[in-house]
Every structure is written in structure tokens, then in C-alpha cells.
Amino acid sequence: SSVISAPSHSVSSPAGAAATMAPSKDAGPTLFGIPMKWVSLIMLVAQTVGVVFMMRLSRTSSVEGGRRYLNTTAVFFSEVIKLLCSYLFLCQEKGGPGVATGLVVQSFTRNPIEVLKVCVPGLLYTVQNNLLFISLSNLSGAVYQVTYQLKILTTAVLSVLILGKALGPTKWSSLLLLTAGVTLIQTPRGDGGSSHVAAEGNAAVGLTAVLSACVTSGLAGVYLEKILKQTDASIWLRNIQLGSIGALVALAGCFMQDGAAIREAGFMQGYCGLVWAVILLQAVGGLVVAAVLKYADNILKCFGNAVSIVISCLLSAWLLQEFVPDLLFVLGTLFVLGATSLYSLGVPQSVLMLWNRLLGKKSKGDDSGEGAV
């Protein structure tokens, strides 16, 4: 997703360079009596699971007339919706459309160099969104959802290389665990193993697409974080710039990749309610992450991510019946869940206390042994 939230301690947000907008409070805002932190968590799980499930369904179900919608046009409409949402939030932030429109025009005309800088992540996010459609056309939702967590690895490595960040041993250990988990999931099965791909899909194409999406996601997020540190522009203003550039790039991609199909059957061929639901869910993903970071915290975000992976696997296995989990997949998924939690939250305090206690007992035992000699 190309929507920016405010700065977070995690470099793996699916919204790019995400960050905490405000500290959560116990007596915070509510919706129908429900604390907003739980509302935002439910929204995160619903959006993450919904976009994977519906996108997979929209790319594999039979279509009337034999014409499926073009993923390039879906990405274009998704960028347009992000742009409109960001503009509405900017209007709310600045007190009206007059001031907001003036700021938008000024942001594009006053400093063209800054706009050119935003072109890079805008292009990368558009490529990434197209890659996600390709991967879910070829991989089961479960395998896609787990494998896509490698964006944590790519973002972390690029943060070290580009931003000069230092990662401690805990984070590096979690990245190794993450890589091991995905490797277990993608290990070729001789026979009767977990089914990674539907009959009409191509596992190699799907895996290449999702790995490429991890790289583009990480590069776009790190580059965007670098830009945000050099400016004090409004987050929503940056999102408008990203949405505008993303929409233009996506529109160009529509005609470059699917120009013949568009001329033959139209820009919106194969569209239905399911396709619009996919586009809407894809567009609001970054806004949902921003809501979680504003009203909750990184712990709940990590918990929501884990729940989303589990639910996606269950839907893929039992509802779509496109996937049969085996021992390697279950073990790999547990590794990925543990790695994402360890990377985001660190080692639990209780585990550290137990470890220190054990080390203390061992040290005392060694000392007493030396004294006896």
C-alpha cells in the first residue's frame, strides 16, 4: 500500500513508512461503546484477510463472457481512491477544501525536485500492487500471505544499507527465523504435499511475483522514510502526491501492458461487485494500518497480523479448497509468526528474566565448583 501513516518503530509496515501518530490511552475514543483500539484491530484483520481472499477469488473464479478484469485497471482505480481519501483527510486537517486545495497546488508547483523524489516510491508502489495481483493469480492465498512476510527481511536489510540503521542480535535472529520459515513453506514436495497453486496457476511465476513485491515494498518504504525525515510536509499531502503519481503511472501501465485488450473490450471489462470490493479493500489498507498505530500500538498490530495469517490459511484450505497444509507448511508458518512477533516486539520480558535467572544459577554453580577445588 502507498498510504503513509505516521513513524513506527517497525520497518515492515504494509503501508510503507508507517509511524505512530499518537500514544494509545486506556480511556481513549470509542465507537458504539467499543474502544477504538479494538475497532481498528478488527478492521486490520478484516482488511488483510478480505483483500487476500477476495483478490484470490476474483482471479480464479469463472467469469461470464470469458473476460476477466485487468489487474492494471484495478490498480489504477485503487490509486484514485487513495488519492480521494487522502484529500478528504487533508481537508479535515486544514479546516476546509479551500486551504487544502491551495496546499496541494503549491506542493506540486513550488518545489518540483521534491515531487520528483516522490515519483520513485510512487512508481515502486504501483509496480508492487500489480505484482500482488499476479502472485495471487498463481499462488494460494495461504502461501502468498505467509511468503509475503519476507517484506520484513527486505525492508530491514535495505534500512541497514540505505538508512544506516543498526539491527541488534534479536532482530537478526528473527530475520533468520523468518527466512527459515518461508524456506520450509516453499520447499518442493515430492507428492501429496501441500498444494501451492491452483490448476491454472504457475507456482514459479507466483513465487517470483511475491518475492519481487517484497523487494519493491521494502525499497519504496525505506526510500519514503528517507524523504519524510528531510521534510515536515503533512502526511496527507505526501499521500496526495503519492496517489497522484501512482495513478498516472498506473494509467500509463494500463495502456502499455493491456492497451490491445482495452481497445477491444473496454477499460472496465470484467468488472463486478467483487472486483470493486477488491479495489476498495486494497485502497484503504494503509489507512487501516494508520488507524491501528494511532489508536492501538505495535503489539496489537503484530497480533492482528498473526490472526490474519491464520484466518487466511483456514479460508484457503477449507473454504476455497485450493490448499492442503502439511507438516512443513504448519512448521514454516509457526516460524514466520514467531519471527514477526520477535522482530516487532523483541524478546518478552518474562523470557529474559527466566534466562537471566538460569544464567545466574549456572554462574553460582560454576563458582561453587571452583571453590570446592
Side-chain angles (χ1 to χ4, degrees):
S1 171
S2 58
V3 177
I4 312 172
S5 30
S8 161
H9 298 299
S10 171
V11 296
S12 57
S13 168
T20 329
M21 288 184 173
S24 59
K25 299 177 180 179
D26 294 334
T30 62
L31 181 67
F32 302 116
I34 304 174
M36 277 302 298
K37 67 177 183 178
W38 297 114
V39 173
S40 60
L41 178 65
I42 294 171
M43 288 169 56
L44 175 65
V45 174
Q47 188 275 335
T48 305
V49 174
V51 73
V52 172
F53 176 73
M54 290 187 179
M55 192 182 294
R56 176 63 179 163
L57 192 61
S58 71
R59 300 306 294 174
T60 56
S61 58
S62 58
V63 292
E64 295 181 8
R67 284 194 176 274
R68 194 175 303 281
Y69 73 97
L70 304 173
N71 63 276
T72 51
T73 63
V75 171
F76 166 72
F77 283 120
S78 178
E79 293 298 324
V80 171
I81 293 175
K82 291 175 190 176
L83 174 60
L84 294 175
C85 290
S86 297
Y87 178 74
L88 291 175
F89 278 106
L90 182 65
C91 289
Q92 182 188 33
E93 183 181 274
K94 300 301 179 182
V99 178
T101 303
L103 286 173
V104 172
V105 173
Q106 189 180 67
S107 70
F108 279 99
T109 56
R110 174 186 256 181
N111 196 340
I113 301 299
E114 288 296 315
V115 178
L116 288 175
K117 288 181 180 179
V118 180
C119 286
V120 177
L123 172 63
L124 290 171
Y125 278 127
T126 304
V127 172
Q128 172 200 339
N129 288 333
N130 277 285
L131 288 170
L132 296 184
F133 276 95
I134 295 172
S135 61
L136 276 168
S137 298
N138 293 278
L139 294 175
S140 68
V143 174
Y144 157 81
Q145 181 79 322
V146 180
T147 306
Y148 191 47
Q149 301 308 308
L150 275 179
K151 63 186 178 182
I152 298 175
L153 172 64
T154 58
T155 307
V157 172
L158 289 169
S159 295
V160 172
L161 296 176
I162 297 176
L163 300 179
K165 286 189 174 182
L167 301 181
T170 300
K171 288 190 181 295
W172 282 117
S173 299
S174 66
L175 294 176
L176 289 174
L177 184 63
L178 174 66
T179 306
V182 174
T183 301
L184 286 175
I185 291 166
Q186 294 296 341
T187 300
R189 273 61 161 179
D191 57 349
S194 62
S195 173
H196 287 195
V197 59
E200 70 275 14
N202 186 315
V205 171
L207 179 59
T208 302
V210 74
L211 292 179
S212 300
C214 290
V215 175
T216 54
S217 174
L219 184 57
V222 171
Y223 187 88
L224 198 54
E225 183 177 347
K226 188 174 183 179
I227 292 176
L228 290 174
K229 288 181 177 179
Q230 299 171 352
T231 180
D232 56 354
S234 165
I235 288 175
W236 301 118
L237 196 57
R238 280 299 190 194
N239 280 330
I240 289 172
Q241 291 177 332
L242 274 175
S244 302
I245 294 165
L248 290 175
V249 172
L251 184 61
C254 292
F255 290 98
M256 290 174 62
Q257 182 174 332
D258 298 311
I262 291 172
R263 286 189 293 271
E264 182 181 348
F267 196 82
M268 297 174 62
Q269 58 184 282
Y271 272 59
C272 60
L274 177 62
V275 177
W276 284 110
V278 170
I279 292 171
L280 184 62
L281 285 170
Q282 182 79 353
V284 302
L287 300 176
V288 172
V289 172
V292 172
L293 292 173
K294 178 176 182 179
Y295 294 113
D297 52 30
N298 208 38
I299 297 177
L300 279 182
K301 178 177 173 290
C302 186
F303 174 73
N305 183 61
V307 172
S308 301
I309 291 176
V310 172
I311 294 177
S312 294
C313 293
L314 294 177
L315 290 176
S316 183
W318 286 305
L319 192 57
L320 295 181
Q321 295 184 345
E322 60 179 4
F323 167 79
V324 181
D326 59 7
L327 181 60
L328 283 180
F329 182 85
V330 173
L331 187 60
T333 301
L334 290 176
F335 277 18
V336 170
L337 291 175
T340 54
S341 301
L342 187 63
Y343 188 92
S344 299
L345 309 178
V347 181
Q349 195 64 31
S350 57
V351 174
L352 285 176
M353 291 176 62
L354 179 61
W355 177 254
N356 291 333
R357 193 176 302 166
L358 290 174
L359 287 180
K361 288 182 178 180
K362 183 179 178 182
S363 176
K364 288 180 180 178
D366 292 342
D367 291 343
S368 61
E370 289 177 4
V373 174

